[in-house]
Amino acid sequence: MRQLLFGAAAAVMLWAGSTAQAGRFHGVGYNYMPVSCCAPTSCYTTCKVERQTCYRTVYDTVCEPVQETVYRTVMDTTYQDVQQTCYRTVYEQACREEQYQVSRNLVETSYQEQQYTVQRPVYETQYQQQSYQVCRPVYETVNRPVTRTVMRPVTQVVNRPVTRTVYRQVMETVNQERCYTVMRPVTTMHNVNRVVGQWVDQPITIPGRVVPTMTRDCNGCPRISMTQCPPTVVNRRAWCPQVVQCQVPVTRMVPQVVRQNCPVQVCRVVPECVTENIQVQVCQMVAEQVTENCQTQVCRWVNETKTCQIPVRVCKMVSEVRTCRIPVQACKVVTETQTRRVPYCVAKQVPYTVTRRVASCTPRQEAVTVTRMVSKVVPRQVAYEVCRMVPVQACCDSSDGGCANGDCGTTTNYGSQMTPQPEATLQQTPTPTPARQPATTGPTT
């Protein structure tokens, strides 16, 4: 609005300057003219600001979950019983007769007579006289003083310390271990599909504003014409989503056993030794020496010489001739034919039937429901305000009811000749944009 006022003021000053120069050239200035001469005598063009609300279409991209049913191939394992004939080797034992030659020793025994001389002992008994010493005991009775010790009891009262055990209760503080369960948070990472993206600059062309421009016509009179400024290219940031697999921490509570030492008062019985003096009557044995005359029988030995006859046995050898039979063995080799049974193994194939389970894979189609995010473009209308300058021709009223060109007293509006064009709708490929307020692209006042 300020620019329009400045433009109108400049146009009036330029027109006044040109008129003053024209008067100066003719010899008469504005100072010599009345005020009524400066009033406009014809219609002139002025500008009026018009505001119009236009609408443009903006496309927003939203993601909606869509469940689809897809089929995947699942292999099922089936087992079948198949009978198969196998052969195993069985060994049987058989015997065959075989003759062989054997040489054995044949021993024959014969006897021979032989004489030999033998020494036979003959024993005779003879007697011999021999003297020997003998000790004979002789017993005598003798009075002998005998000293002996006699124990006499003596009784006396003695203070004796007696130690006895007394149990006393003692209170103690003991650390007792207690176990309790607490829930501890454990964080694990899980793979999650997250929609991320980046901002992309998209060029948008904004048409230029229509501004009044001062021009001169063929007569040299200033005129205001509306000229449109060149368009402006503005970069608009658009959001391009992208699905990225990332790890998200998940915290769950895990029970954990915690051990804690808690002080607990415990009463326990402590044994204590107490010593007391107690009068005790003690009987003590005192030794005394007592001498007595006792008759004792004493034995003494007396030597005596005795004579005895001792029998002596004498041996002498006597020769004798004896006859004995001595066996003599003669050995000779005799050959014999013997028969023996030799075992041997015979192998034969025995058939048997074996049942085996044969696994086979059978494919089948299984329906699975999959949820995926589908991008959807949602159009919406965004209102914006357009300001433009509309040229208007104004005419002044004459006092005498006349006008220079004959159309005084009427006002002509040229605004209908310039219809505001709404901003072009973006026909480009819709790109996903986050939900935000659209920017106003129209001119501000």
Side-chain angles (χ1 to χ4, degrees):
M1 188 68 181
R2 186 176 300 175
Q3 294 178 359
L4 295 177
L5 295 176
F6 286 163
V12 172
M13 292 175 64
L14 182 59
W15 177 77
S18 61
T19 308
Q21 282 185 353
R24 185 179 300 171
F25 291 150
H26 290 81
V28 180
Y30 287 105
N31 296 327
Y32 300 98
M33 292 184 179
V35 180
S36 59
C37 296
C38 296
T41 58
S42 62
C43 297
Y44 62 93
T45 302
T46 183
C47 294
K48 184 179 67 173
V49 179
E50 285 189 1
R51 299 176 182 269
Q52 184 178 3
T53 301
C54 300
Y55 294 89
R56 64 178 175 184
T57 304
V58 178
Y59 294 93
D60 294 336
T61 300
V62 295
C63 295
E64 295 182 354
V66 177
Q67 292 186 353
E68 297 182 353
T69 301
V70 299
Y71 293 90
R72 64 179 179 184
T73 302
V74 179
M75 304 301 291
D76 294 337
T77 303
T78 58
Y79 295 90
Q80 297 180 357
D81 295 337
V82 178
Q83 292 186 355
Q84 184 178 2
T85 302
C86 301
Y87 293 89
R88 64 165 175 252
T89 303
V90 178
Y91 294 92
E92 295 181 354
Q93 187 176 3
C95 297
R96 66 173 181 271
E97 293 185 354
E98 182 180 347
Q99 293 183 354
Y100 62 98
Q101 298 290 329
V102 177
S103 297
R104 65 183 183 87
N105 295 328
L106 182 62
V107 180
E108 294 180 355
T109 304
S110 60
Y111 295 92
Q112 296 180 359
E113 293 184 356
Q114 186 177 359
Q115 293 182 354
Y116 62 95
T117 301
V118 178
Q119 298 290 331
R120 182 175 63 84
V122 177
Y123 296 95
E124 295 180 357
T125 304
Q126 298 179 1
Y127 291 94
Q128 295 180 359
Q129 290 185 357
Q130 186 176 0
S131 299
Y132 60 95
Q133 297 289 333
V134 177
C135 292
R136 182 175 60 83
V138 177
Y139 294 97
E140 296 179 355
T141 303
V142 180
N143 290 327
R144 178 179 299 175
V146 177
T147 303
R148 62 187 180 88
T149 302
V150 179
M151 303 301 293
R152 183 174 60 85
V154 176
T155 304
Q156 60 182 357
V157 177
V158 181
N159 290 329
R160 178 178 297 176
V162 176
T163 302
R164 61 189 181 89
T165 303
V166 179
Y167 291 92
R168 182 170 54 88
Q169 292 185 354
V170 178
M171 299 295 293
E172 293 182 352
T173 301
V174 181
N175 289 330
Q176 184 176 3
E177 185 178 5
R178 296 180 179 179
C179 298
Y180 61 94
T181 303
V182 298
M183 303 303 289
R184 180 174 59 87
V186 176
T187 303
T188 57
M189 305 302 292
H190 291 268
N191 292 329
V192 177
N193 292 332
R194 178 175 295 176
V195 178
V196 298
Q198 60 181 353
W199 293 95
V200 179
D201 293 335
Q202 293 182 353
I204 298 175
T205 302
I206 301 176
R209 297 180 299 174
V210 179
V211 297
T213 305
M214 182 65 67
T215 59
R216 292 180 179 273
D217 56 2
C218 58
N219 297 327
C221 298
R223 289 183 177 274
I224 297 176
S225 62
M226 305 305 294
T227 305
Q228 187 176 8
C229 297
T232 304
V233 178
V234 179
N235 290 331
R236 177 186 176 186
R237 296 179 62 84
W239 176 259
C240 295
Q242 183 179 1
V243 179
V244 178
Q245 188 175 13
C246 61
Q247 291 187 351
V248 177
V250 177
T251 303
R252 59 189 182 88
M253 305 303 290
V254 178
Q256 183 180 6
V257 178
V258 178
R259 299 179 181 271
Q260 183 180 8
N261 291 328
C262 299
V264 179
Q265 287 190 350
V266 179
C267 178
R268 65 184 183 91
V269 179
V270 178
E272 185 178 355
C273 293
V274 179
T275 303
E276 298 178 355
N277 291 325
I278 301 176
Q279 293 183 357
V280 180
Q281 187 176 5
V282 180
C283 180
Q284 186 177 5
M285 304 301 291
V286 178
E288 294 182 355
Q289 299 290 334
V290 178
T291 302
E292 297 179 353
N293 289 325
C294 298
Q295 293 182 358
T296 305
Q297 189 176 8
V298 180
C299 177
R300 61 186 181 86
W301 295 88
V302 179
N303 294 327
E304 293 182 357
T305 303
K306 290 184 178 182
T307 303
C308 65
Q309 290 187 358
I310 299 174
V312 179
R313 190 176 183 184
V314 180
C315 178
K316 62 178 180 180
M317 303 301 293
V318 177
S319 300
E320 291 183 0
V321 177
R322 294 182 180 182
T323 303
C324 66
R325 298 180 64 184
I326 301 173
V328 178
Q329 292 182 352
C331 180
K332 62 179 181 179
V333 179
V334 179
T335 302
E336 296 180 355
T337 301
Q338 295 184 359
T339 303
R340 63 182 177 183
R341 296 175 62 85
V342 179
Y344 64 95
C345 294
V346 178
K348 66 178 181 178
Q349 299 291 330
V350 177
Y352 65 95
T353 302
V354 177
T355 302
R356 296 189 307 170
R357 296 180 65 86
V358 179
S360 61
C361 295
T362 303
R364 63 183 178 86
Q365 296 294 328
E366 182 179 356
V368 179
T369 302
V370 179
T371 302
R372 65 186 185 90
M373 304 300 292
V374 178
S375 299
K376 180 180 179 182
V377 178
V378 178
R380 62 188 177 91
Q381 297 292 328
V382 178
Y384 66 95
E385 191 177 31
V386 177
C387 294
R388 62 187 182 86
M389 302 297 295
V390 178
V392 178
Q393 188 174 8
C395 295
C396 61
D397 295 335
S398 179
S399 60
D400 54 359
C403 212
N405 53 2
D407 55 356
C408 292
T410 62
T411 301
T412 305
N413 189 358
Y414 297 95
S416 60
Q417 298 178 3
M418 299 180 64
T419 304
Q421 298 294 330
E423 185 177 352
T425 303
L426 299 178
Q427 299 297 333
Q428 300 178 1
T429 302
T431 57
T433 59
R436 62 187 182 90
Q437 296 295 332
T440 304
T441 58
T444 58
T445 61

